[in-house]
């Protein structure tokens, strides 16, 4: 699979184009390879892979790609260190100045910008507004859950993932996030049901993570 052009876009020296990734997500960039790299980054985060940092190597393909630059900032923020936050702020300062074509890109860039500024509540709200009308945008959903979990908001995690599970009941990664939210809110039976449903579809790491404590409680 490769990112595919959706339409010609911005008149600029870099000839920006709107590409669609294999999951149909838009990326404004002059580089098809970088559009695919953003998709690969999202998949690594969703699947708890160890190759997310490969995005850094792809950034020089188009330094004006706001979404990729914001994702690079998010990589630093995931480190949860003072140094990482400093590097993230430098990148997000660049990302917010770039020209983007879509609401999704602007929503994600804004959310990561708020995150980098330490305003987690606004970052979460920005993502929740986007996910409310786009519940199958799993990367945005994952980012919401991560930020809610990192700030100890277990009940909000469950409230956020429930409508997504209704919209995508056959997606293992969604069911894995649902299982984890049930686990965090102290409902091992519901966590086990969601985790087992996920694992029947695909071996989702988060479902396995939620299943272990649920079985321990049940045992």
């Amino acid at each position: 699979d490769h990112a595919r052009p959706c339409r010609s876009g911005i008149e600029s020296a870099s000839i920006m184009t709107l590409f669609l990734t294999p999951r149909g997500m838009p990326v404004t960039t002059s580089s098809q390879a970088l559009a695919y790299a953003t998709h690969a980054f999202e998949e690594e985060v969703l699947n708890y892979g160890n190759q997310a940092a490969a995005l850094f190597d792809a950034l020089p393909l188009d330094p004006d790609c706001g979404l990729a630059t914001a994702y690079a900032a998010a990589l630093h923020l995931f480190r949860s260190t003072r140094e990482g936050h400093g590097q993230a702020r430098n990148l997000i300062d660049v990302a917010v100045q770039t020209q983007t074509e879509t609401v999704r890109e602007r929503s994600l860039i804004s959310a990561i910008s708020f995150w980098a500024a330490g305003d987690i509540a606004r970052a979460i709200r920005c993502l929740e507004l986007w996910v409310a009308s786009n519940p199958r945008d799993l990367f945005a959903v994952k980012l919401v859950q991560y930020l809610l979990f990192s700030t100890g908001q277990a009940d909000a995690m469950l409230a956020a993932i429930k409508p997504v599970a209704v919209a995508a009941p056959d997606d293992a990664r969604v069911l894995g996030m649902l299982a984890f939210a049930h686990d965090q809110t102290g409902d091992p039976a519901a966590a086990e049901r969601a985790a087992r449903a996920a694992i029947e579809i695909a071996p989702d790491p988060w479902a396995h993570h939620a299943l272990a404590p649920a079985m321990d409680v049940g045992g």
Side-chain angles (χ1 to χ4, degrees), residues 4-219:
R4 61 187 188 278
C6 177
R7 67 174 180 81
S8 294
I10 307 159
E11 294 273 346
S12 72
S14 56
I15 314 178
M16 300 297 275
T17 300
L18 192 65
F19 289 94
L20 295 181
T21 70
R23 284 195 299 113
M25 299 300 166
V27 185
T28 305
T29 177
S30 61
S31 169
Q32 181 176 1
L34 184 57
Y36 186 79
T38 67
H39 166 76
F41 167 77
E42 292 179 358
E43 292 297 301
E44 286 295 305
V45 172
L46 285 165
N47 295 322
Y48 304 93
N50 59 8
Q51 299 299 314
L55 178 67
F56 289 130
D57 295 330
L59 279 182
L61 294 170
D62 179 11
D64 295 323
C65 178
L67 187 65
T69 305
Y71 280 179
L75 268 170
H76 285 300
L77 293 170
F78 280 130
R79 294 163 56 192
S80 298
T81 65
R82 181 176 297 178
E83 178 189 7
H85 272 74
Q87 292 173 317
R89 284 193 294 270
N90 291 335
L91 285 164
I92 206 66
D93 285 346
V94 174
V96 297
Q97 298 299 321
T98 59
Q99 191 168 8
T100 54
E101 285 282 273
T102 68
V103 175
R104 181 191 192 243
E105 293 171 282
R106 291 191 292 273
S107 297
L108 287 167
I109 291 169
S110 293
I112 296 168
S113 178
F114 288 133
W115 181 14
D119 194 342
I120 305 301
R122 290 183 72 183
I124 290 169
R125 183 57 179 157
C126 187
L127 290 165
E128 286 178 336
L129 286 171
W130 171 251
V131 170
S133 56
N134 299 274
R136 288 184 175 271
D137 187 345
L138 298 195
F139 178 76
V141 172
K142 171 61 74 176
L143 201 51
V144 170
Q145 187 173 78
Y146 173 83
L147 293 175
L148 290 170
F149 174 63
S150 68
T151 50
Q153 300 181 67
D155 289 339
M157 283 173 56
L158 184 58
I161 194 62
K162 277 185 173 180
V164 178
V166 171
D170 55 351
D171 192 298
R173 294 181 292 194
V174 170
L175 292 173
M177 285 188 272
L178 177 63
F180 181 67
H182 279 304
D183 171 65
Q184 292 298 300
T185 53
D187 191 342
E192 181 174 355
R193 286 194 299 271
R196 290 191 181 280
I199 293 166
E200 286 182 5
I201 298 169
D204 178 71
W206 218 220
H208 283 285
H209 181 78
L211 183 59
M215 292 183 67
D216 184 59
V217 171

